[in-house]
Amino acid sequence: MGAGYRLGRDEGVDPSVLRGFIIDIDERKRAEEAIRDLASSMASATGRELFEEMVLYLTRTLNVEYALIGAIEDENDQQVKVLSVSRKSELVEPFNYVLADTPCENVRREGICSYASGVAQQFPNDLLLTEMGIEGYVGVPIRNKGGRTMGLVVLLDTKPLLSVEIAKPTLAICADRISAEMVRMETEEQLKVPRSWLRSPVEPRVSFWPT
């Protein structure tokens, strides 16, 4: 510790840089621990059980308000069918929503997207974000081996996100696991979305949102 202190004084190293370096190491360690826990806890789960356990794990471990897993049938589809959603570490009723004018649309188009705060202000046409009082957002695409976006896994919080750098790699691991399961379920014709659903109007069920 004495050597580090002399380095800061004698060689002009800003102590805040050293603190930031230490914090960065701590963040990486926490991310690695979260990923190890996730891999071990989800090893045997399949289907709906996997999706439900995963969103519960994410809200509890990362201390966020909401976690959801959504499916997109094809690249041209503008609707998301939520397969599982957790609020405050409890499962709630899934819902459907339209991608247009949402941060999730950016996730599908560009890849990982994160907004530590102010996401509702950046997407004013996404009325659900405003109704839910969302501040922080992190989303990761779920892609198959061919690169097609099959869905996304998302964290939302009513307070600014302080663990974005932990959330990103954790969600990436989740996305890989979900992708493998979606492919398996598609092969078994368990996850096919009826065409009638795609043609029907989307009416998000938001009875569980805070009022």
Side-chain angles (χ1 to χ4, degrees), residues 63-78:
N63 189 32
V64 295
E65 187 91 1
Y66 299 99
L68 68 84
I69 296 168
I72 303 171
E73 186 174 69
D74 58 57
E75 289 289 350
N76 297 318
D77 187 21
Q78 278 294 312

Side-chain angles (χ1 to χ4, degrees), residues 114-119 122 135-138 157 159-164:
S114 64
Y115 304 86
S117 63
V119 67
Q122 295 187 59
E135 273 289 324
Y137 173 102
V138 181
D157 210 340
K159 60 183 182 298
L161 284 173
L162 302 178
S163 57
V164 171

